Amino acid sequence: MLYDSHCHLNHSPLVDNLTQVLQRAEEKSINHFLVPATCPDDWLITLKLAQSYPQICAAIGIHPWFVTSYNESALSQLEQLLYHHPQALVGEIGLDFVRAHSVAEKNLQINCFEAQLQQAKTAQRPVIIHHVHATDACLHSIKRCRFTYGGIAHAFSGSMEEAQAWIKQGFLIGVGSLLLRPQAKKIRLIAEKLPLQHMVIETDAPYMSPLPHQNNSPDNLRQIAEIIASLRNCHWQDIAAITSENIHKIIPVQG
């Protein structure tokens, strides 16, 4: 069975039609989901989904797009929620320097990211990292915080050298919906050549749709697995087995 390691079932329109979404995914042999929150406003609904659906694992954190919600109150709430939800990961956190237009904005993102790395370190949880035009800065923060619990480098689109830098810090490489775009050449090389023990697969649904003006869907994970299998001359079920095993090493088995 396939494990979608990054899927926003907590966001519309997926959360509004969750029964049907999960049923369509099940028909494609997708039966586990890691669902990250992006800001304090969706932490509780994400945790509730994980409590209500055994196939869902939650992650909670402040995404760099929502860095304005970062303050001491939010950090205190995050600490308490992690304490009371021992299976929750920390995420989606990280850096997005496309959204930072000044040194001050970059520094705010870094402060928010490193504060959450410290929370994850204290709670001994892996993290789900958003990294856009900021790979070096993310890795620098991870080293500076002496964070050693690993996690997932989400929506990877970089080089093999960058992938190895993440792996060296204990991270799995999230390969996903970019594979549905034929023009994305670098990620096809990663999908073909990266040792499978370092890979997980994801959709980022409802985001990162391969088609304009349409929402992505978690049942696209099957096609992602099939593309990787075709690049490696194996069966998609081989990809499912190995990538699911990889994520279960950092996430308690659900269901």
Side-chain angles (χ1 to χ4, degrees):
M1 301 295 284
L2 292 157
Y3 198 133
D4 191 339
S5 66
H6 198 108
C7 182
H8 293 279
L9 297 176
N10 49 350
H11 292 177
S12 293
L14 301 182
V15 71
D16 306 318
N17 304 282
L18 192 54
T19 300
Q20 295 93 327
V21 168
L22 294 176
Q23 181 177 344
R24 288 197 302 269
E26 180 77 21
E27 290 168 359
K28 294 288 185 72
S29 300
I30 306 152
N31 70 343
H32 285 92
F33 307 85
L34 175 53
V35 178
T38 54
C39 66
D41 288 346
D42 62 3
W43 289 351
L44 293 180
I45 187 173
T46 306
L47 292 167
K48 185 176 180 180
L49 286 176
Q51 291 176 324
S52 301
Y53 295 89
Q55 61 267 56
I56 291 176
C57 179
I60 55 175
I62 300 173
H63 189 290
W65 292 4
F66 301 98
V67 70
T68 53
S69 62
Y70 162 60
N71 53 45
E72 288 301 322
S73 175
L75 285 180
S76 178
Q77 183 185 8
L78 179 61
E79 179 183 18
Q80 290 299 312
L81 289 174
L82 290 173
Y83 176 80
H84 289 292
H85 298 271
Q87 289 185 313
L89 279 68
V90 175
E92 176 178 356
I93 67 175
L95 301 173
D96 190 329
F97 286 169
V98 171
R99 297 290 185 114
H101 304 294
S102 68
V103 173
E105 290 177 341
K106 285 186 177 182
N107 287 338
L108 180 59
Q109 284 194 20
I110 290 169
N111 290 340
C112 178
F113 178 43
E114 292 189 357
Q116 292 179 96
L117 284 176
Q118 294 292 358
Q119 293 272 28
K121 182 178 176 180
T122 300
Q124 301 181 357
R125 310 294 168 83
V127 296
I128 312 304
I129 294 188
H130 176 103
H131 53 107
V132 175
H133 289 202
T135 294
D136 289 345
C138 282
L139 291 169
H140 183 70
S141 289
I142 288 164
K143 294 172 187 175
R144 182 163 55 206
C145 294
R146 298 182 180 179
F147 180 78
T148 59
Y149 292 94
I152 299 170
H154 153 60
F156 188 80
S157 62
S159 66
M160 187 65 72
E161 290 74 19
E162 288 173 314
Q164 292 297 339
W166 282 107
I167 291 166
K168 187 176 180 180
Q169 296 303 315
F171 282 80
L172 297 166
I173 304 301
V175 175
S177 294
L178 283 175
L179 279 177
L180 303 176
R181 303 174 186 178
Q183 69 273 24
K185 302 298 184 184
K186 283 196 293 186
I187 194 60
R188 285 181 175 266
L189 180 63
I190 295 293
E192 181 182 4
K193 300 296 187 183
L194 186 75
L196 281 176
Q197 68 263 33
H198 301 306
M199 186 187 300
V200 291
I201 54 177
E202 58 175 66
T203 61
D204 201 18
Y207 311 109
M208 292 188 70
S209 174
L211 299 174
H213 313 299
Q214 290 190 20
N215 292 309
N216 198 356
S217 174
D219 54 77
N220 283 329
L221 192 72
R222 171 71 169 269
Q223 186 180 356
I224 291 167
E226 290 172 346
I227 291 171
I228 298 171
S230 69
L231 291 169
R232 292 176 175 265
N233 195 29
C234 64
H235 196 280
W236 70 263
Q237 289 178 326
D238 300 323
I239 305 302
I242 297 171
T243 57
S244 295
E245 181 182 357
N246 293 342
I247 198 166
H248 282 310
K249 290 177 182 177
I250 64 169
I251 298 174
V253 176
Q254 305 288 298

